[in-house]
Amino acid sequence: MRSWQKWFLIAALALFAFAGVPQTPYAAAADGSASFAPASLTELKDGTRLYERIWPFVADNLELSDEEAEAVTAESVYEVDLGNYPKGYTRQFISFIYNYEWIELVLVATNEDASKIVLLDRAASSESGDMFLNTAKLDFSTEGNRIYVWTQVPFRAFESVVELEWGGDRFYVVTHEYDDPTANYYMEKADLLKAKDLDGLIELASLDYPMYPGAYEESYTLAAPTLKLAHQKALQAHKAKDNKKAVAYLEYGLEQYSEAFGTWDYAEGKLAKEDIVGIADAFDADFRLTLGAYVGILNDYG
């Protein structure tokens, strides 16, 4: 199993763990043994006291500004168990901290009541680049001495998937992969368009839907070519007396076009000229079909 596939399996379970249900540090594993489930300080009985001791230490050691320090709350500090404790320390805590330049994963160890604290390690980047892209879209899980972290940039699908191993002296990067599912989707769509594979395009749309499509230029640049190909294939199907397929092809093309330009009322005949041609100086004006071309396709659909 590839590392990113392993991450998504673990993350799927983690989503249930962090869905607002109060956590206890220990939970029963499938084999009946004790397994540690990460929990934020707000979920621990001694969480407030721990936060009051741990966070000033972290803020001081990282030399955070007051504004940066105020952004971290007890809810964003988690108790974990990655093992390999220094002598005299029995608990570990992590937090993801945004310092207005990059995001760092910080690991500290404490004794039971956090009267003793030591900074174990900080992690922010690998040879591939920044590991953590956004604190608002971030999820993590742990397994033994490993931590799996997924983050995604704001308003796009570009993501970073990281697997780190705590070795007792520092974090070691096991894997760090970038991916952009939406960019991949549009690359595949472009290839299918080039091959004039309309059935492949329809299958792609049925299996996947791009995240944040409006943030990608391909959402607009590929819309008209898709509708033109659907119209061409529909005419061929109509000529072969397969009107059912012809209608399905055109509906796919019209819906793909609507996703880019909002022409959803095509079936009800409620579209005005402005809905079709858009605004002359709009960013998407050059990507739309002309009024005559779109109306011609719509008439064939009718």
Side-chain angles (χ1 to χ4, degrees):
M1 179 182 291
R2 293 180 61 192
S3 61
W4 67 266
Q5 293 173 315
K6 181 179 181 182
W7 151 251
F8 281 115
L9 176 61
I10 295 171
L13 299 175
L15 289 176
F16 291 99
F18 300 135
V21 180
Q23 300 293 305
T24 54
Y26 288 91
D31 61 2
S33 62
S35 129
F36 198 94
S40 77
L41 294 188
T42 57
E43 299 166 335
L44 304 178
K45 291 181 180 179
D46 57 348
T48 299
R49 177 174 52 80
L50 290 168
Y51 175 75
E52 291 172 350
R53 293 182 174 180
I54 294 170
W55 186 240
F57 171 87
V58 173
D60 183 57
N61 276 266
L62 270 61
E63 299 180 344
L64 298 178
S65 68
D66 291 341
E67 187 177 7
E68 291 165 347
E70 287 175 0
V72 178
T73 66
E75 190 174 11
S76 55
V77 180
Y78 291 84
E79 182 168 15
V80 296
D81 179 12
L82 300 176
N84 296 317
Y85 290 81
K87 186 176 180 180
Y89 294 87
T90 58
R91 304 178 79 171
Q92 292 173 337
F93 299 88
I94 66 166
S95 185
F96 294 91
I97 300 167
Y98 174 48
N99 66 3
Y100 297 92
E101 293 183 14
W102 59 81
I103 300 168
E104 284 191 289
L105 168 61
V106 177
L107 174 67
V108 302
T110 75
N111 60 354
E112 189 61 28
D113 63 359
S115 58
K116 289 173 52 181
I117 310 172
V118 61
L119 179 63
L120 297 180
D121 200 14
R122 301 157 64 174
S125 63
S126 74
E127 293 180 353
S128 300
D130 290 346
M131 288 192 285
F132 316 118
L133 307 176
N134 183 6
T135 54
K137 294 195 294 182
L138 181 152
D139 201 359
F140 79 92
S141 63
T142 62
E143 184 179 44
N145 69 334
R146 298 197 177 191
I147 181 167
Y148 304 84
V149 187
W150 169 90
T151 56
Q152 190 177 65
V153 299
F155 311 115
R156 286 179 72 89
F158 184 77
E159 61 192 19
S160 172
V161 181
V162 181
E163 181 180 348
L164 299 172
E165 181 178 39
W166 168 241
D169 56 341
R170 66 183 178 89
F171 280 120
Y172 292 86
V173 179
V174 180
T175 60
H176 178 201
E177 299 178 8
Y178 291 121
D179 195 18
D180 191 324
T182 297
N184 296 340
Y185 175 91
Y186 285 124
M187 286 176 61
E188 186 173 356
K189 185 173 183 178
D191 288 342
L192 290 167
L193 267 171
K194 186 176 181 180
K196 299 186 181 299
D197 184 357
L198 187 65
D199 289 327
L201 285 165
I202 293 173
E203 182 180 9
L204 175 65
S206 70
L207 296 175
D208 198 4
Y209 184 82
M211 296 179 285
Y212 311 102
Y216 292 76
E217 186 178 77
E218 293 85 353
S219 171
Y220 308 97
T221 60
L222 298 181
T226 299
L227 179 52
K228 287 180 179 178
L229 177 62
H231 183 227
Q232 177 188 354
K233 296 290 187 178
L235 292 177
Q236 293 172 1
H238 176 68
K239 188 175 181 179
K241 301 187 183 302
D242 191 345
N243 288 337
K244 183 177 180 180
K245 179 178 286 188
V247 170
Y249 282 168
L250 272 180
E251 284 181 344
Y252 163 77
L254 289 165
E255 287 171 3
Q256 290 288 300
Y257 193 84
S258 296
E259 286 178 359
F261 304 116
T263 52
W264 292 107
D265 289 336
Y266 69 85
E268 286 74 33
K270 296 179 181 179
L271 292 178
K273 178 181 177 181
E274 307 82 61
D275 298 323
I276 299 171
V277 300
I279 302 171
D281 59 351
F283 74 94
D284 63 358
D286 293 338
F287 307 136
R288 291 175 180 251
L289 293 174
T290 63
L291 178 65
Y294 184 85
V295 170
I297 292 173
L298 204 57
N299 282 338
D300 285 341
Y301 172 69

